[in-house]
Amino acid sequence: MITAIVLVHTAADRIPETAQAIADLDGVSEVYSCAGDVDLIAVVKVSEHEELADVIAGRLSKIDGVRRTDTHIAFRSYSRADTEATFSVGLD
């Protein structure tokens, strides 16, 4: 699974509608509205790199209200749940 974190700058008056339209796209697992330098953060999960171009450049960036995107591809995931699962293997 390939995960990309997409920082999305939107028109200020279209944030809710833009967020929902992004969330409705196949390949988008989560969308967060946030404070700071960006308006939305979208998490895209696909099985092949080629799909990133389709989801992000082909569909997400063309949604009404999206002004600019900045995409970051994740190399590795770290989380408390992953760590706890690793250490609990075979304890049952």
Side-chain angles (χ1 to χ4, degrees):
M1 183 67 55
I2 300 159
T3 301
I5 295 87
V6 184
L7 309 178
V8 183
H9 298 265
T10 69
D13 62 339
R14 302 258 326 136
I15 292 173
E17 297 87 357
T18 303
Q20 188 59 59
I22 293 170
D24 290 342
L25 294 175
D26 287 338
V28 174
S29 64
E30 302 161 68
V31 178
Y32 299 95
S33 62
C34 53
D37 294 336
V38 298
D39 302 302
L40 301 170
I41 297 174
V43 179
V44 176
K45 295 186 179 193
V46 294
S47 58
E48 297 181 14
H49 282 97
E50 292 79 17
E51 293 176 82
L52 288 175
D54 178 52
V55 174
I56 299 166
R59 293 184 278 144
L60 189 153
S61 66
K62 294 178 180 176
I63 290 174
D64 189 34
V66 172
R67 291 198 170 154
R68 183 167 52 99
T69 63
D70 185 15
T71 301
H72 300 264
I73 297 174
F75 293 126
R76 184 175 293 152
S77 172
Y78 300 91
S79 73
R80 171 178 267 165
D82 293 340
T83 303
E84 289 173 356
T86 300
F87 288 105
S88 68
V89 172
L91 293 179
D92 292 334

